[in-house]
Amino acid sequence: MNSMYPTLKLYIDGVWRDGSEGASEPVYNPATGEVIATLPHASRADLDDALASSRAAFAKWKKVSAHERSTYLKKVAALLRERSEQISQVLTLEQGKPLPEARVEMVYTADVFEWYAEEARRTYGHIIPARNTTHRQMVLKEPIGPALGLSPWNFPGIVPARKIGAALAAGCVSIIKAAEETPGTCVEIVRACHDAGIPAGVVNMVFGVPAEISSYLIASDVIRQVSFTGSIPVGKHLARLASDNLIRCTLELGGHAPVIVLKDADVRKAARVAATGKFYRNAGQVCVSPTRFLVEAPVYDAFVEEMTTIANSVKVGDGAVEGTEMGPLANPRRLDVMEELVADARARGAKITAGGNRVGNQGNFWAPTVIADVTTECQIMNDEPFGPLAPIMPVDSLDAALAEANRLPVGLASYVFTNAMDTARQAAEEIEAGVVTINHVIASMAETPFGGVKQSGDGREGGAEGLEEFLVTKYVSEGPAV
Ligand code: NAD
């Protein structure tokens, strides 16, 4: 157990409590393998309590004015900012990312609450000019109902914030189930909601076996919205469950982000920028991580050389130790995947120019890895690596790069490096993805819409669009007095 880490509880109807049947699981520090806490699991009775609490709270919360909801959410943002240093330490302990990166995540997390606080007051409807001039035809936006948020282990702050913040801003209540690997940050977010005075039942938090919790809650007649961030197979499974009750889904699933580097770009600068997204951001465990490097032939060698130099210079270690630039992978499963992808690429003739191996034998560390001369036959060009692997492939032209970018059935983030305006525009128009950035790799902020196309998911988080996921449209027509 670690004294910096919070005591973990469920939060149901405004009360912190253990699971009623006593089930639990250990939470590990991925840098050391040590157990840092015990996480209680919710029983079915606990889930029933959370559902009843949500139902009752929704009846009241939807009638709270947008202005007042906004004030609550601003308070949450302020509390998260006040507590940011302590929560960042919790985040690093459970997730592994270096402390400076955890601090940046907490800035973003508070920003999300603030953004939704502002946006809560702008759920505008509109008036439709009536054919009958004695009628008033109004389009109103209303909250869809109690929402279930299912968030993963890679961004324990930002992702729960998006799900809770958007739901509450829209007038919905939220049951959040954060990843069991990284529950502490979400516990701190929910504590901020509690301390901000958000009424009991507006936010409930449960943990347990993910498949059991999600199937039970989705099958209830309470939940009207499910927002999931995670892998494509799990997203499809949840969409199938939700379809039984025609529950609306927001799905943020995997990607395999192409990075197109064209010959007119400053190739070394492009490599440095792309490497930031690849290695220095959560060790590549990001759904928008740059993952398929498609580099025009004349600048290919220089790009590989620069990426190799950068990869070899990254300081890998415990995220809590000063100076660490890349932390461990979140769990041992990821190490097995890295092993498999590298072995496959090697067997198919690709060259490992940096890394390619585990670091040490304690904690889940993997060396920043550059794999040059990959082909589309390599598994890594088809399966999202979700780790610090940078496969690089030469391409002959923009058209060839676009064909490769669009070859896979996913489309979340995509990146283009070029200084030619017409090339940038063509790429932005032709890439099948929810996000395209030109000459940088910042794919999302609180105020921008984020999400994928094809099998990368459906719906958006962030921006004004993020709120729409939690709203339904009602048409009201008033006639003259009778
Ligand atoms: P996984 O598919 O087992 O789990 C992914 C997430 O989904 C976890 O948070 C897990 O708790 C949750 N989950 C799993 N089954 C569930 C269910 N039936 N109901 C509700 N939640 C469920 O994969 P993993 O080994 O944890 O991660 C590996 C893959 O997941 C990665 O390769 C990546 O593609 C994907 N992933 C994506 C994101 C993202 O930001 N989009 C985040 C984490 C993981």
Side-chain angles (χ1 to χ4, degrees), residues 195-213:
D195 294 347
I198 290 179
V202 172
V203 178
N204 284 292
M205 180 178 59
V206 296
F207 296 103
V209 177
E212 290 173 14
I213 303 258

Side-chain angles (χ1 to χ4, degrees), residues 351-418:
K351 288 194 204 100
I352 315 298
T353 64
N357 51 280
R358 200 179 160 175
V359 180
N361 54 11
Q362 194 202 22
N364 312 319
F365 296 100
W366 187 271
T369 297
V370 176
I371 312 175
D373 302 350
V374 290
T375 64
T376 54
E377 312 288 295
C378 294
Q379 196 184 340
I380 193 170
M381 291 300 276
N382 297 284
D383 297 347
E384 180 186 28
F386 228 68
L389 311 184
I392 314 179
M393 188 175 107
V395 287
D396 288 337
S397 63
L398 173 63
D399 285 344
L402 290 172
E404 168 54 22
N406 293 339
R407 179 180 59 89
L408 297 185
V410 292
L412 188 54
S414 57
Y415 308 103
V416 182
F417 288 87
T418 177

